[in-house]
Amino acid sequence: MPHLFSPLTLRSVTLRNRIAVSPMCQYSSEDGFANDWHLVHLGARAQGGAGLVITEAAAVEPRGRISPQDLGIWDDAHVEFLARINSFIHSQGSVAGIQIAHAGRKASTRRPWEGRGPVPPEEGGWAPVVSASDRAWDAGYPETHALTVAEIEETIAAFVAATRRSLAAGFRVVELNAAHGYHFHQFLTPLTNFRTDAYGGSFENRTRIVRDTVSAVRGVWPDELPLLLRISATDWTEGGWTPEDSVALAKMVAPLGVDFIDCSSGAAIPKGGAIPVGPGYQVPLAEQVRRESGVPTGAVGMIIDPQQADRIIREEQADLVLLARELLRDPHWPLRAAHALGQEGPWPPQYERAKWAA
């Protein structure tokens, strides 16, 4: 029976344990470039023992950034520093992954510590933003342009180009972000997709952009490397995306080359339904998708306690746990969890003298 510190193999890539760093925006880039902040932030989590370290959402084009300070992967010049980061991550025994993304109508907004709301053009913002339909994120947010079919194809091409750059930078895992009300999610859910063409209306049509992108990305991403898909497994809102939709999507994309579904939830609209927030509240979503689709899944959301994380794996609710805020609080959480569970943590040799037995 697998446990939290069992290896996990996806295609040719083996993670040393079932702990992953969930993508967390750092809002610390200039023109999309990674820098020393990202090196230390991501490197520390690899040093701390995580099996998989995934970057924050990296925008596939400038207008796809959530904020003007988002990480980018739209320019060949972005590759060099990302490669430096990945070299360190791999030297610590972790696997480097990148989440490639587009914010859609949730683009051109302020960093969290600068308050909410859009960023005006005179402060580095942009308009219009783009989406499945011409509905702005909320009152006062940028004008939103509904993408034409030709523009959808251009966006898919941007994901393909970003995938090529990710390979050049040395990433061994790519994750497509179709969650949290961003670009792909805006097509998936009936709450934001009001199109009447081949990309709107039926479930088949609303999922088309994800299927098309997966197929296109798989065309340039090596067969031996895994491709992940992050979804909001439910909108928590009547008339929105459901767990059953997530199961159906997983069944559709697995034959196209998706190896793993990263199950988060919500954020399609500013004021969604009641969310039962609490420790592990999204774990049942990962369990349902895993059980009913047969596709490996990751669980995320208020996973804090080592015993809780271990139980998720042992009870086969998910194949991987992704931690976010807990790993901000404690980059060495995997080492602490190993000690708590009686396992051997991957201590850096420079830190051996600080091990628990000492």
Side-chain angles (χ1 to χ4, degrees):
M1 177 184 295
H3 56 81
L4 190 61
F5 287 89
S6 298
L8 174 66
T9 298
L10 298 170
R11 299 204 181 216
S12 69
V13 175
T14 298
L15 310 180
R16 62 186 173 189
N17 57 45
R18 306 298 182 99
I19 303 166
V21 179
S22 192
M24 292 178 279
C25 291
Q26 298 298 293
Y27 307 103
S28 298
S29 293
E30 183 174 341
D31 296 327
F33 283 89
N35 54 48
D36 287 347
W37 177 267
H38 302 90
L39 172 63
V40 174
H41 165 67
L42 296 168
R45 276 79 202 163
Q47 186 190 63
L52 173 63
V53 178
I54 307 177
T55 69
E56 64 192 272
V60 301
E61 61 175 357
R63 69 178 178 178
R65 292 172 291 172
I66 304 166
S67 78
Q69 295 81 25
D70 276 20
L71 188 66
I73 191 72
W74 69 78
D75 192 306
D76 290 349
H78 291 146
V79 169
E80 182 178 2
F81 203 96
L82 289 170
R84 178 185 173 192
I85 293 171
N86 292 343
S87 177
F88 182 79
I89 289 172
H90 291 146
S91 77
Q92 300 305 299
S94 295
V95 172
I98 184 171
Q99 185 187 83
I100 56 176
H102 194 297
R105 70 176 188 164
K106 295 178 78 172
S108 190
T109 56
R110 295 189 182 280
R111 295 187 283 191
W113 58 86
E114 294 175 343
R116 295 184 178 274
V119 178
E122 60 270 21
E123 295 180 27
W126 55 94
V129 295
V130 299
S131 185
S133 303
D134 61 356
R135 310 288 180 90
W137 165 246
D138 204 356
Y141 280 77
E143 173 191 356
T144 301
H145 164 69
L147 291 166
T148 66
V149 171
E151 289 168 334
I152 289 172
E153 292 171 352
E154 291 172 359
T155 303
I156 293 173
F159 274 89
V160 171
T163 302
R164 286 196 178 99
R165 294 186 189 103
S166 299
L167 182 62
F171 288 103
R172 301 186 66 205
V173 171
V174 160
E175 177 174 89
L176 302 177
N177 186 1
H180 300 155
Y182 296 121
H183 177 68
F184 290 134
H185 192 188
Q186 292 161 25
F187 281 83
L188 291 174
T189 175
L191 299 178
T192 57
N193 186 339
F194 307 104
R195 302 177 72 98
T196 57
D197 63 3
Y199 290 93
S202 67
F203 179 84
E204 174 82 11
N205 285 355
R206 286 184 284 109
T207 59
R208 188 180 307 278
I209 190 171
V210 172
R211 291 184 282 112
D212 287 354
T213 304
V214 167
S215 295
V217 163
R218 258 294 165 206
V220 299
W221 188 240
D223 287 343
E224 66 269 20
L225 298 180
L227 179 63
L228 282 53
L229 180 68
R230 170 166 270 202
I231 62 172
S232 281
T234 179
D235 286 335
W236 303 109
T237 302
E238 185 177 355
W241 186 263
T242 68
E244 291 70 30
D245 291 332
S246 297
V247 171
L249 178 63
K251 290 179 178 179
M252 295 171 86
V253 297
L256 301 177
V258 169
D259 303 292
F260 181 96
I261 304 293
D262 179 356
C263 296
S264 189
S265 68
I269 55 177
K271 300 177 180 65
I275 301 176
V277 176
Y281 72 103
Q282 296 176 133
V283 173
L285 300 171
E287 182 178 20
Q288 181 176 349
V289 172
R290 184 183 190 276
R291 182 180 64 249
E292 297 181 14
S293 74
V295 180
T297 62
V300 63
M302 299 186 72
I303 298 171
I304 296 172
D305 181 73
Q307 285 77 17
Q308 171 200 17
D310 190 50
R311 186 167 58 251
I312 291 167
I313 303 301
R314 288 183 182 275
E315 295 181 359
E316 300 185 328
Q317 295 177 289
D319 300 275
L320 187 72
V321 294
L322 296 101
L323 279 66
R325 284 171 289 185
E326 188 62 18
L327 281 173
L328 293 183
R329 289 185 281 263
D330 182 3
H332 295 93
W333 187 92
L335 299 178
R336 296 182 185 277
H339 178 66
L341 296 170
Q343 300 291 329
E344 181 64 28
W347 282 77
Q350 296 91 334
Y351 289 3
E352 282 285 335
R353 60 185 175 274
K355 287 182 69 170
W356 309 104

